[in-house]
Structure formats: C-alpha cells, structure tokens
C-alpha cells in the first residue's frame, strides 16, 4: 500500500505486504531527515535517517528514499508485520537551524491480519 | 544505547499548581535537550531548546514564564509548568542528541489538569 503525502493520514496494509509512507517537505535548506515511529502513549522511536547528500539508505526491513528535486521523502517497510502498526513521522533539520527538527503531520499505519 | 528517560509518565493535578517534569539521558551526555508538546492525533511541536548551563531558547508563541526550563547538568533537563490550567493538559515529550546523531526521545509525560 502507499500513502500520499500529508493528506492521507491512514495507511492500511495486509500483513506481509510492503508499505510505503510518503512525506513532502518544503525547505530546500533541510540537510538531514529522520523517520520516527510512535506507538500509542509512547515517545517517537528512531527508525532511520538520511543526509541530503544521499538519495537512498537501507536498514533492517526499512529503506528511506530522498528526492531533493521534488522535496520528497519516503519510508519503505518490507514484509510489514503487526508490530509495525504505529504512527510514522518524518522530520527535517534545516541547515544552520541549531539542530532543531520540524515534524511532519504523521501517517497512521494499520497492519491487517 | 542512547536511552532517554522521562518522569513522571503521567500526572494529574489541580488547576493552579505547578508541575515539574524530568528528562534524563541515561547512557550519554547531552549538552542540548529539546521539549515538545503533542496534542491527540497531532504532530510534535517544539516548545524550546534546553542548553546545559545557559538559558533555554523558546519557540515563538511559547511563554517562557509559563514553561520554565532548567538544564543543570549534562544528563538532566527539567520542564516546570507553572500555575497549570486545563488548557495546559497535553503530552509533553523530551529528546536529547547523542553526539552528532539523531534526537532520541523519552516516553513522554501525560499531563492532565483538573
């Protein structure tokens, strides 16, 4: 399944399918991007990050893609599991902005059995 | 590694009281910590940047006299909500950076003001 930017807050996928969560950012001066996972009642958990001089980075079952031309970031989760159900936030850091992060709206990922 | 602990996790208090929330980096030192506020089903909004040994930097619209921040050591920052009122009820989350890496977050404090 695939979400579309910040206007589709919920993404439902079948267990075992791949998930794609999208994020649009607006500041071309952003030099660092992070994906966080937040489960209900908990703080955000770091998933993966990418610097602006890269366009792809892979982790365990996750891949982040960065397209600076269109200011777009995506998180791909392979073989989605029930434990992946959570809200996913992208965050950007503006170069020279004192390491502050600006968070996107978030996408609720629901994994159906 | 990079564990951030927040305490308390949940607090209920009467309107007009002050509430202190602690944020600790357990296995690393953090010269900078961040405080966020999050409303239900919304994103995290940065309130302030807490700097060890100096004054916090507040975001636009955040009352510094309302939300007092103290960063007395490299592993502890506190947020005090003074004279709390029902509209201050929210989920408050802190974070800290481990060196040049990403911000790591605590598990938040749910504040309910009656």
């Amino acid at each position: 399944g695939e979400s579309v930017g910040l206007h589709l807050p919920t993404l439902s996928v079948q267990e075992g399918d791949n998930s794609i969560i999208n994020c649009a950012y607006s500041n071309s001066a952003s030099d660092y991007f992070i994906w966080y996972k937040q489960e209900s009642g908990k703080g955000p958990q770091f998933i993966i990050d990418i610097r602006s001089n890269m366009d792809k980075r892979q982790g365990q079952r996750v891949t982040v893609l960065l397209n600076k031309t269109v200011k777009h970031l995506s998180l791909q989760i392979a073989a989605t599991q029930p434990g992946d159900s959570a809200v996913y936030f992208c965050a950007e850091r503006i170069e020279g902005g004192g390491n502050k992060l600006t968070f996107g709206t978030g996408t609720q990922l629901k994994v159906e059995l | 590694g990079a564990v951030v602990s927040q305490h308390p996790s949940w607090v209920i208090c009467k309107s007009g009281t002050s509430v202190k929330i602690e944020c600790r980096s357990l296995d690393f030192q953090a010269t900078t910590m961040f405080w966020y506020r999050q409303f239900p089903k919304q994103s995290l909004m940065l309130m302030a940047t807490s700097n060890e040994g100096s004054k916090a930097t507040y975001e636009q619209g955040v009352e510094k006299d309302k939300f007092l921040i103290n960063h007395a050591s490299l592993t502890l920052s506190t947020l005090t909500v003074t004279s709390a009122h029902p509209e201050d009820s929210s989920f408050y989350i802190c974070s800290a950076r481990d060196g040049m890496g990403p911000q790591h977050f605590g598990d938040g404090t749910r504040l309910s003001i009656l």
Side-chain angles (χ1 to χ4, degrees):
Chain A
E2 183 173 346
S3 70
V4 180
L6 304 177
H7 303 290
L8 189 65
T10 302
L11 173 65
S12 295
V13 299
Q14 293 290 320
E15 181 181 6
D17 287 352
N18 296 333
S19 302
I20 301 175
I21 301 172
N22 296 298
C23 179
Y25 66 95
S26 58
N27 200 318
S28 58
S30 294
D31 66 346
Y32 178 56
F33 305 87
I34 311 173
W35 279 101
Y36 287 98
K37 171 187 180 183
Q38 186 178 28
E39 296 176 273
S40 181
K42 294 187 177 181
Q45 176 186 358
F46 170 80
I47 301 174
I48 193 168
D49 57 1
I50 188 168
R51 301 196 181 277
S52 59
N53 60 353
M54 303 172 66
D55 53 20
K56 180 179 180 179
R57 192 166 187 220
Q58 289 184 293
Q60 186 176 13
R61 278 202 309 122
V62 294
T63 301
V64 55
L65 298 177
L66 175 61
N67 186 330
K68 294 182 289 295
T69 302
V70 295
K71 298 188 183 69
H72 184 269
L73 190 69
S74 70
L75 175 70
Q76 300 179 4
I77 304 174
T80 311
Q81 302 170 359
D84 295 327
S85 294
V87 177
Y88 289 80
F89 292 98
C90 66
E92 61 182 302
R93 183 187 70 185
I94 299 172
E95 186 176 10
N99 293 311
K100 295 191 297 185
L101 294 178
T102 300
F103 280 77
T105 305
T107 297
Q108 172 81 56
L109 176 65
K110 294 185 177 181
V111 181
E112 299 172 344
L113 302 176
Chain B
V3 178
V4 176
S5 175
Q6 210 171 319
H7 179 80
S9 57
W10 183 48
V11 58
I12 301 175
C13 61
K14 294 181 179 180
S15 182
T17 59
S18 294
V19 180
K20 179 184 284 188
I21 303 169
E22 293 186 347
C23 179
R24 295 182 184 272
S25 56
L26 297 186
D27 51 1
F28 65 100
Q29 293 183 329
T31 56
T32 304
M33 293 184 176
F34 302 87
W35 287 97
Y36 295 81
R37 185 173 181 176
Q38 185 179 33
F39 291 105
K41 298 190 183 301
Q42 294 191 24
S43 189
L44 282 76
M45 296 298 295
L46 180 65
M47 298 174 65
T49 302
S50 173
N51 305 299
E52 189 268 336
S54 65
K55 293 183 179 180
T57 306
Y58 290 83
E59 294 300 299
Q60 191 173 8
V62 178
E63 299 176 59
K64 62 179 180 180
D65 295 329
K66 174 75 171 178
F67 299 99
L68 300 179
I69 291 172
N70 183 275
H71 195 150
S73 77
L74 288 171
T75 58
L76 174 64
S77 174
T78 61
L79 168 68
T80 301
V81 184
T82 62
S83 187
H85 293 286
E87 58 266 28
D88 298 321
S89 298
S90 191
F91 192 50
Y92 293 88
I93 314 173
C94 71
S95 73
R97 292 182 71 229
D98 178 10
M100 298 298 290
Q103 290 182 26
H104 294 278
F105 287 81
D107 269 342
T109 296
R110 186 158 305 283
L111 176 62
S112 296
I113 309 299
L114 304 178

